Amino acid sequence: MEYKLDGKVALITGASSGIGAATALHFAQLGAKLALTGRNLANLQETSQQCKTNGCKEEPLLIVADLSAEDDTARVVRETVEHFKQIDILVNSAGILQNNTIENANLADYDRIMNINLRSVFHLTSLVAPHLIATKGNVVNVSSVTGLRSFPNVNTYCVSKSALDQMTRCSALELAAKGVRVNAVNPGVIKTEVHMRGGMSEERYAEFLKHCAETHALGRYGEPKEVATTIAFLASDAASFITGATIPVDGGRHAMCPR
């Protein structure tokens, strides 16, 4: 099905890299107006330039912000509405990953992961909700296969994504009567910087990607654009009867039970 986002105002978090940046680029190709936020201005500017090169009809609005800070989150919404006068789509892509277990995790790490992966999403969505009600817009959350299945050594990350999936479903039910859809994508291993930012060495990461041949039914890791296209579908009118869904974009990993 052909789908477009012509004239839609999309606020995308985590747009300075990875899935967020790929989503911004794909939305630009589909005609959306973009408000892009992240913590790295240089990377946001690079994303913006790619969007303009690939058909963005209007200069993206760039907002440097740390969404774990409440004032920054409120400022992101305020500046987006002041600039575009509306918000049609919210893509919550910002997130962090860190290896830990129930034995070695400390509360500071737990709080940091939960604040960024869950609390900031809850706060931002609640602030944007009135604007989405006005436009009959929608939300797409970037969760993870770890929200659907359990994995060792990423305990807090799994908890944050599982909770995000439940928040997606609850919010979908609460906003459905007001014409707002809320969905999530659950990526498997996608080749981005998130694992190395979480502390994985280059050598270990190379081995990790190679191991995806065994951990993903399709025999490989995914690319950011493969997630971005699903996000765009959910954000478009082509998905007008889909809400409360958590959709794996994981090469079949969620369905596997290795023996």
PDB file of all heavy atoms in Angstrom, residues 184-200:
ATOM      1  N   ALA A 184       3.654   0.422  18.995  1.00  0.00           N
ATOM      2  CA  ALA A 184       5.097   0.291  19.222  1.00  0.00           C
ATOM      3  C   ALA A 184       5.695  -0.680  18.223  1.00  0.00           C
ATOM      4  O   ALA A 184       5.019  -1.596  17.742  1.00  0.00           O
ATOM      5  CB  ALA A 184       5.385  -0.189  20.648  1.00  0.00           C
ATOM      6  N   VAL A 185       6.966  -0.473  17.925  1.00  0.00           N
ATOM      7  CA  VAL A 185       7.757  -1.451  17.182  1.00  0.00           C
ATOM      8  C   VAL A 185       8.748  -2.075  18.152  1.00  0.00           C
ATOM      9  O   VAL A 185       9.223  -1.422  19.084  1.00  0.00           O
ATOM     10  CB  VAL A 185       8.502  -0.825  15.985  1.00  0.00           C
ATOM     11  CG1 VAL A 185       7.528  -0.375  14.918  1.00  0.00           C
ATOM     12  CG2 VAL A 185       9.390   0.340  16.434  1.00  0.00           C
ATOM     13  N   ASN A 186       9.031  -3.353  17.926  1.00  0.00           N
ATOM     14  CA  ASN A 186       9.930  -4.095  18.814  1.00  0.00           C
ATOM     15  C   ASN A 186      11.085  -4.665  17.999  1.00  0.00           C
ATOM     16  O   ASN A 186      11.041  -5.823  17.559  1.00  0.00           O
ATOM     17  CB  ASN A 186       9.167  -5.220  19.520  1.00  0.00           C
ATOM     18  CG  ASN A 186       8.088  -4.693  20.441  1.00  0.00           C
ATOM     19  OD1 ASN A 186       7.073  -4.169  19.990  1.00  0.00           O
ATOM     20  ND2 ASN A 186       8.299  -4.829  21.731  1.00  0.00           N
ATOM     21  N   PRO A 187      12.132  -3.861  17.783  1.00  0.00           N
ATOM     22  CA  PRO A 187      13.252  -4.323  16.968  1.00  0.00           C
ATOM     23  C   PRO A 187      14.047  -5.440  17.638  1.00  0.00           C
ATOM     24  O   PRO A 187      14.138  -5.521  18.867  1.00  0.00           O
ATOM     25  CB  PRO A 187      14.119  -3.069  16.814  1.00  0.00           C
ATOM     26  CG  PRO A 187      13.214  -1.925  17.154  1.00  0.00           C
ATOM     27  CD  PRO A 187      12.272  -2.461  18.178  1.00  0.00           C
ATOM     28  N   GLY A 188      14.624  -6.301  16.796  1.00  0.00           N
ATOM     29  CA  GLY A 188      15.642  -7.221  17.260  1.00  0.00           C
ATOM     30  C   GLY A 188      16.972  -6.492  17.255  1.00  0.00           C
ATOM     31  O   GLY A 188      17.034  -5.285  17.497  1.00  0.00           O
ATOM     32  N   VAL A 189      18.048  -7.205  16.963  1.00  0.00           N
ATOM     33  CA  VAL A 189      19.352  -6.550  16.882  1.00  0.00           C
ATOM     34  C   VAL A 189      19.411  -5.739  15.595  1.00  0.00           C
ATOM     35  O   VAL A 189      19.279  -6.278  14.496  1.00  0.00           O
ATOM     36  CB  VAL A 189      20.506  -7.575  16.917  1.00  0.00           C
ATOM     37  CG1 VAL A 189      21.844  -6.884  16.698  1.00  0.00           C
ATOM     38  CG2 VAL A 189      20.506  -8.312  18.248  1.00  0.00           C
ATOM     39  N   ILE A 190      19.574  -4.438  15.751  1.00  0.00           N
ATOM     40  CA  ILE A 190      19.696  -3.520  14.627  1.00  0.00           C
ATOM     41  C   ILE A 190      21.087  -2.899  14.690  1.00  0.00           C
ATOM     42  O   ILE A 190      21.554  -2.521  15.771  1.00  0.00           O
ATOM     43  CB  ILE A 190      18.628  -2.397  14.708  1.00  0.00           C
ATOM     44  CG1 ILE A 190      17.220  -3.005  14.857  1.00  0.00           C
ATOM     45  CG2 ILE A 190      18.708  -1.504  13.474  1.00  0.00           C
ATOM     46  CD1 ILE A 190      16.775  -3.888  13.709  1.00  0.00           C
ATOM     47  N   LYS A 191      21.747  -2.804  13.567  1.00  0.00           N
ATOM     48  CA  LYS A 191      23.115  -2.288  13.552  1.00  0.00           C
ATOM     49  C   LYS A 191      23.113  -0.778  13.767  1.00  0.00           C
ATOM     50  O   LYS A 191      22.947   0.008  12.835  1.00  0.00           O
ATOM     51  CB  LYS A 191      23.818  -2.643  12.237  1.00  0.00           C
ATOM     52  CG  LYS A 191      25.317  -2.355  12.280  1.00  0.00           C
ATOM     53  CD  LYS A 191      26.013  -2.773  10.997  1.00  0.00           C
ATOM     54  CE  LYS A 191      27.518  -2.501  11.098  1.00  0.00           C
ATOM     55  NZ  LYS A 191      28.212  -2.857   9.841  1.00  0.00           N
ATOM     56  N   THR A 192      23.265  -0.384  15.026  1.00  0.00           N
ATOM     57  CA  THR A 192      23.367   1.018  15.420  1.00  0.00           C
ATOM     58  C   THR A 192      24.511   1.145  16.420  1.00  0.00           C
ATOM     59  O   THR A 192      25.235   0.182  16.678  1.00  0.00           O
ATOM     60  CB  THR A 192      22.057   1.513  16.066  1.00  0.00           C
ATOM     61  OG1 THR A 192      21.897   0.868  17.341  1.00  0.00           O
ATOM     62  CG2 THR A 192      20.852   1.199  15.181  1.00  0.00           C
ATOM     63  N   GLU A 193      24.617   2.312  17.023  1.00  0.00           N
ATOM     64  CA  GLU A 193      25.689   2.541  17.992  1.00  0.00           C
ATOM     65  C   GLU A 193      25.276   2.189  19.420  1.00  0.00           C
ATOM     66  O   GLU A 193      26.075   2.323  20.352  1.00  0.00           O
ATOM     67  CB  GLU A 193      26.119   4.011  17.934  1.00  0.00           C
ATOM     68  CG  GLU A 193      26.671   4.441  16.584  1.00  0.00           C
ATOM     69  CD  GLU A 193      26.967   5.936  16.528  1.00  0.00           C
ATOM     70  OE1 GLU A 193      26.739   6.610  17.550  1.00  0.00           O
ATOM     71  OE2 GLU A 193      27.416   6.404  15.480  1.00  0.00           O
ATOM     72  N   VAL A 194      24.041   1.741  19.619  1.00  0.00           N
ATOM     73  CA  VAL A 194      23.523   1.618  20.980  1.00  0.00           C
ATOM     74  C   VAL A 194      24.298   0.600  21.819  1.00  0.00           C
ATOM     75  O   VAL A 194      24.527   0.813  23.020  1.00  0.00           O
ATOM     76  CB  VAL A 194      22.016   1.280  20.952  1.00  0.00           C
ATOM     77  CG1 VAL A 194      21.760  -0.113  20.407  1.00  0.00           C
ATOM     78  CG2 VAL A 194      21.409   1.449  22.350  1.00  0.00           C
ATOM     79  N   HIS A 195      24.725  -0.502  21.223  1.00  0.00           N
ATOM     80  CA  HIS A 195      25.426  -1.523  22.001  1.00  0.00           C
ATOM     81  C   HIS A 195      26.817  -1.052  22.421  1.00  0.00           C
ATOM     82  O   HIS A 195      27.237  -1.278  23.562  1.00  0.00           O
ATOM     83  CB  HIS A 195      25.530  -2.825  21.200  1.00  0.00           C
ATOM     84  CG  HIS A 195      24.224  -3.527  21.030  1.00  0.00           C
ATOM     85  ND1 HIS A 195      23.414  -3.294  19.946  1.00  0.00           N
ATOM     86  CD2 HIS A 195      23.575  -4.424  21.809  1.00  0.00           C
ATOM     87  CE1 HIS A 195      22.324  -4.040  20.060  1.00  0.00           C
ATOM     88  NE2 HIS A 195      22.400  -4.728  21.180  1.00  0.00           N
ATOM     89  N   MET A 196      27.526  -0.395  21.519  1.00  0.00           N
ATOM     90  CA  MET A 196      28.853   0.090  21.866  1.00  0.00           C
ATOM     91  C   MET A 196      28.768   1.239  22.860  1.00  0.00           C
ATOM     92  O   MET A 196      29.624   1.377  23.739  1.00  0.00           O
ATOM     93  CB  MET A 196      29.616   0.490  20.604  1.00  0.00           C
ATOM     94  CG  MET A 196      29.948  -0.711  19.712  1.00  0.00           C
ATOM     95  SD  MET A 196      30.890  -0.302  18.236  1.00  0.00           S
ATOM     96  CE  MET A 196      32.418   0.284  18.955  1.00  0.00           C
ATOM     97  N   ARG A 197      27.724   2.054  22.740  1.00  0.00           N
ATOM     98  CA  ARG A 197      27.524   3.098  23.749  1.00  0.00           C
ATOM     99  C   ARG A 197      27.203   2.494  25.103  1.00  0.00           C
ATOM    100  O   ARG A 197      27.453   3.105  26.145  1.00  0.00           O
ATOM    101  CB  ARG A 197      26.392   4.035  23.317  1.00  0.00           C
ATOM    102  CG  ARG A 197      26.758   4.974  22.184  1.00  0.00           C
ATOM    103  CD  ARG A 197      25.576   5.803  21.755  1.00  0.00           C
ATOM    104  NE  ARG A 197      25.936   6.756  20.717  1.00  0.00           N
ATOM    105  CZ  ARG A 197      25.065   7.473  20.028  1.00  0.00           C
ATOM    106  NH1 ARG A 197      23.774   7.349  20.294  1.00  0.00           N
ATOM    107  NH2 ARG A 197      25.471   8.302  19.101  1.00  0.00           N
ATOM    108  N   GLY A 198      26.654   1.292  25.082  1.00  0.00           N
ATOM    109  CA  GLY A 198      26.340   0.594  26.326  1.00  0.00           C
ATOM    110  C   GLY A 198      27.536  -0.115  26.934  1.00  0.00           C
ATOM    111  O   GLY A 198      27.399  -0.775  27.972  1.00  0.00           O
ATOM    112  N   GLY A 199      28.706  -0.012  26.285  1.00  0.00           N
ATOM    113  CA  GLY A 199      29.919  -0.563  26.872  1.00  0.00           C
ATOM    114  C   GLY A 199      30.536  -1.725  26.120  1.00  0.00           C
ATOM    115  O   GLY A 199      31.567  -2.260  26.544  1.00  0.00           O
ATOM    116  N   MET A 200      29.953  -2.143  24.992  1.00  0.00           N
ATOM    117  CA  MET A 200      30.491  -3.273  24.250  1.00  0.00           C
ATOM    118  C   MET A 200      31.693  -2.829  23.397  1.00  0.00           C
ATOM    119  O   MET A 200      31.637  -1.790  22.744  1.00  0.00           O
ATOM    120  CB  MET A 200      29.385  -3.860  23.357  1.00  0.00           C
ATOM    121  CG  MET A 200      29.720  -5.201  22.743  1.00  0.00           C
ATOM    122  SD  MET A 200      28.324  -5.901  21.786  1.00  0.00           S
ATOM    123  CE  MET A 200      27.231  -6.420  23.119  1.00  0.00           C
TER     124      MET A 200
END
